[in-house]
Amino acid sequence: QVQLQESGGGSVQAGGSLKLSCVVSGYIGTRYYWGWFRQAPGQEREIVAGITFNDMTTYGDSVKGRFTISQDKTENTLYLEMTNLRPEDTAMYYCAAPTPGRNKWLSLRRSSEYEYWGRGTQVTVSS
């Protein structure tokens, strides 16, 4: 059974930094891409960042230049380094992965491209 476990969330002041981690277990097969999404209360889930097997990345427009996604394939871990955090970054952050072996996608920015989701880690940024 595929499981994604996020960690690293917390409360920071505007301008601060956090680094999120996501460990995947039970994933049998090649993971061609995975990513981070976030959802604030009353808002739709949105892409934060995605990364492919060969480290090509994509970012949501509001986080470009501030957030960096990376992965450690040997440790089955996905990271999201967040700097210069803003109050509008406050949300639950979710790690997501596709069906094992799926190697075709239209856009990493679409939540429908992902099959498995973690439970999320809360990030709160105060002004």
Side-chain angles (χ1 to χ4, degrees), residues 58-122:
T58 187
Y59 292 93
D61 292 341
S62 63
V63 307
K64 284 179 184 176
R66 300 187 297 124
F67 291 11
T68 303
I69 188 171
S70 62
Q71 62 185 331
D72 184 332
K73 291 175 226 175
T74 59
E75 296 293 330
N76 290 315
T77 303
L78 183 69
Y79 299 102
L80 183 70
E81 186 144 19
M82 306 184 293
T83 64
N84 193 19
L85 282 160
R86 304 167 180 169
E88 53 265 38
D89 295 318
T90 295
M92 186 71 79
Y93 284 69
Y94 298 91
C95 175
T99 302
R102 178 173 175 174
N103 61 356
K104 296 185 188 300
W105 60 90
L106 293 177
S107 171
L108 298 187
R109 303 163 70 90
R110 293 169 43 162
S111 59
S112 58
E113 302 283 6
Y114 301 84
E115 179 71 21
Y116 300 100
W117 296 81
R119 293 188 175 184
T121 186
Q122 179 67 38

Side-chain angles (χ1 to χ4, degrees), residues 6 9 18-19 44 48-49 62 82 86 91 96 116 121 123:
E6 304 96 337
L18 283 173
K19 186 172 184 177
E44 293 187 357
V48 178
S62 63
M82 306 184 293
R86 304 167 180 169
Y116 300 100
T121 186
V123 172

